[in-house]
Amino acid sequence: MRLFSLLALSRAFFCLLLVSALYGTNAQAQTPPLQPAPQIAALPALRPVIACEALKGRKLEGFNWPFTVQSAQKIVDTRGNPFCKVTATLAPSSGVEVVLPLKHWTQRLLQLGCDGFCGSINLSVPNATGCMPATNGELALAATDMGHRAGLLDTSWARDPQKRLDFAYRAQHLTALFSRALVNAFYGVAPHYAYFIGCSEGGREALMEAQRYPKDFNGIVVGAPASFLTFQNSFFHGWNAMMNRRPDGTAILLRAKLPLLHRIVMSHCLSGSNLANDVLENPYSCQFSKYWATPCPARATDTANCLTREEIKAADALYDGAHEDSQQFVLGGMIAGSELHWPLPLSPHGRSWSYAIALNSLQDLLLPGTGRSISTLEEFPFNRADFDLVARSAPLYNATNTNLHQFVANGGKLLMWHGLADASISPGISIAYYHGVEKEFGARRVPSFLRLFLFPGVGHCGTGGSYNQANLLTPIMEWTEKGIAPEMISAGNTGVLQPAFWGFQHENSVPQGPEVLKFLPVLAARPVYPYPYLTVYKGQGDPRDGRSFYPVYSDSLQSVRFDRPATDYIGPDNQKNYTVSGDQLVPMPN
């Protein structure tokens, strides 16, 4: 076996991370195995050396960028842990919030990524239930709105080039520097360990930090990263919207037909786990065929329980992904098994979420400065000329730089994860980036600092009804602080269908104080092994018990490859720094 030693495999079998004490119990459920004691550093808890209120108006040693602290006040989280909450603005307009434990800070700082186009501050900690420093309120937390305040799909802020720059990479870095200086002022010492966790847009920010600012964080959790933003927000979403539209603008395939399409796909694809009717362990091994579905009769008046030829053709185009002849513009289209997550309209006259995000991104983020403007997606034909046009912004927004040498030299660790039924950001992005890092460092060296976990059947950032619950914060801490690399992540299935990701988190639901997002009680546990290993049922034992599975190296999963010109934009040193000049962003000399 190429990645696991026998010792590592033994540890994987006996060290499942889910515990009934953390996730609850169910009378009809198999109790998951007990979790071993967390292997993180035993750092002494420290108390503040100055009052919370003293942080307002205080100069911060080592932070030389203009800032204003609006407030510094004591708050209490949902568990009763007291914090000092600091609200600040980093010039010119990046809003930041930092919460600092008042009683037992264990010398760790955790920065949180944001969602979608950002525009709000979310202090909830994802994928951390069972991570004691998080649940006990021992972490200093920081988050930023990335330089603007905006609504759900509002990108009008991006008409300001400074805000585009802040969103691209500047705001998270300044927040990291500010938070570190604030911690130092409050406790008299800098954080011993600094972490970052983010998913989707937050995943792009996480990778951007490792690539551009390798000294900011020791350990980083990267979920479903929008790291290919330039092409993801234009060609991926735009293609999915336009290939599902008739000339009159009405939608062809609607959300109500997706369960039928999903059943057809699952009836033709082997699960890969040795369990019948299971989630797809390797959806890339099963390519959709338009011949799988028997079309509705030509003159049928009731098509609720069949797919029309028009619907089959639209689905086929979405699986193919944006391309022109043999040129591939995205890192994979929709993948088999993801159908229930497709962001399609409810009615023929409804516009999909993909249409809105593509049009807004093109108008406000990607086309400014190119001499091109559009008012509808119909004016953007998704050809090679348009691909090259939006590619001009890749050095600004994309987080696909495989030169991680400085991050690795600093001892940094990257834990990447992606749902294999993600229909919002293709898991191909994570796979292609992993391959790019292998090309830069050599395949044998990569697992020492980067591991990728692919969660079968899981939608965007943990949506769906599969094995979508996992504690990812503890493994990155164990790896960073004790050198114990994650040989597997245990995932829990609650039996509850989490809503598909058809939009961003509503602003009214964003917590204004520290909070650890809680898991539901699980009905089953299953291990997920590092790429390119699959999780296979032994053939005996309770399939709800993670001990009934073992890892198998997958040549077919490891051999997944993507084509040019999309792959040309993954590689070393493909980012640039920018400065504002008038109403434009101008690349700075290297």
Side-chain angles (χ1 to χ4, degrees), residues 117 153-159 164 167 228-242 322 353-383 385-394 397:
F117 291 119
L153 288 174
D154 181 6
T155 55
S156 60
W157 53 268
R159 296 163 196 169
R164 292 202 301 276
F167 174 79
F228 225 55
L229 184 146
T230 298
F231 311 114
Q232 169 77 23
N233 281 16
S234 58
F235 276 76
F236 181 82
H237 286 297
W239 175 274
N240 290 344
M242 295 308 297
W353 173 73
S354 285
Y355 188 103
I357 195 171
L359 181 60
N360 290 1
S361 296
L362 285 165
Q363 288 178 329
D364 296 327
L365 274 79
L366 305 178
L367 293 182
T370 65
R372 175 85 176 278
S373 62
I374 61 172
S375 57
T376 68
L377 285 186
E378 285 76 2
E379 301 171 37
F380 195 80
F382 301 99
N383 56 26
D386 282 331
F387 179 86
D388 291 340
L389 190 68
V390 298
R392 297 182 190 180
S393 62
Y397 294 116

Side-chain angles (χ1 to χ4, degrees), residues 20 24-32 493-494 521-525 542 544-545:
S20 57
T25 58
N26 185 297
Q28 298 178 347
Q30 174 75 27
T31 302
N493 190 334
T494 67
V522 300
L523 304 178
D542 190 338
R544 297 172 298 178
D545 189 332

Side-chain angles (χ1 to χ4, degrees), residues 146 163-170 204 208 396-397:
M146 297 286 280
K163 295 186 186 301
R164 292 202 301 276
L165 180 60
D166 289 341
F167 174 79
Y169 61 83
R170 178 179 171 276
R204 183 190 72 91
M208 194 71 84
L396 171 66
Y397 294 116

Side-chain angles (χ1 to χ4, degrees), residues 161-247:
Q162 179 63 55
K163 295 186 186 301
R164 292 202 301 276
L165 180 60
D166 289 341
F167 174 79
Y169 61 83
R170 178 179 171 276
Q172 288 290 5
H173 173 56
L174 286 184
T175 299
L177 299 180
F178 174 78
S179 302
R180 186 181 294 271
L182 195 70
V183 164
N184 195 31
F186 195 52
Y187 299 106
V189 296
H192 197 88
Y193 295 106
Y195 297 97
F196 191 103
I197 186 169
C199 191
S200 192
E201 162 57 26
R204 183 190 72 91
E205 296 156 20
L207 279 178
M208 194 71 84
E209 278 292 313
Q211 294 161 12
R212 287 183 180 268
Y213 306 106
K215 296 182 179 180
D216 280 357
F217 298 100
N218 306 107
I220 298 176
V221 178
V222 182
S227 51
F228 225 55
L229 184 146
T230 298
F231 311 114
Q232 169 77 23
N233 281 16
S234 58
F235 276 76
F236 181 82
H237 286 297
W239 175 274
N240 290 344
M242 295 308 297
M243 293 301 108
N244 191 39
R245 286 166 67 87
R246 301 183 180 93

Side-chain angles (χ1 to χ4, degrees), residues 306-367:
C306 59
L307 295 175
T308 67
R309 294 182 186 276
E310 187 183 34
E311 290 171 334
I312 295 171
K313 182 179 179 181
D316 195 36
L318 268 60
Y319 286 115
D320 282 345
H323 68 279
E324 184 178 51
D325 299 325
S326 61
Q327 299 180 97
Q328 188 176 21
F329 298 138
V330 294
L331 296 169
M334 297 298 197
I335 56 177
S338 69
E339 298 76 24
L340 298 179
H341 302 270
W342 289 11
L344 302 186
L346 287 168
S347 68
H349 296 282
R351 277 191 176 181
S352 70
W353 173 73
S354 285
Y355 188 103
I357 195 171
L359 181 60
N360 290 1
S361 296
L362 285 165
Q363 288 178 329
D364 296 327
L365 274 79
L366 305 178
L367 293 182

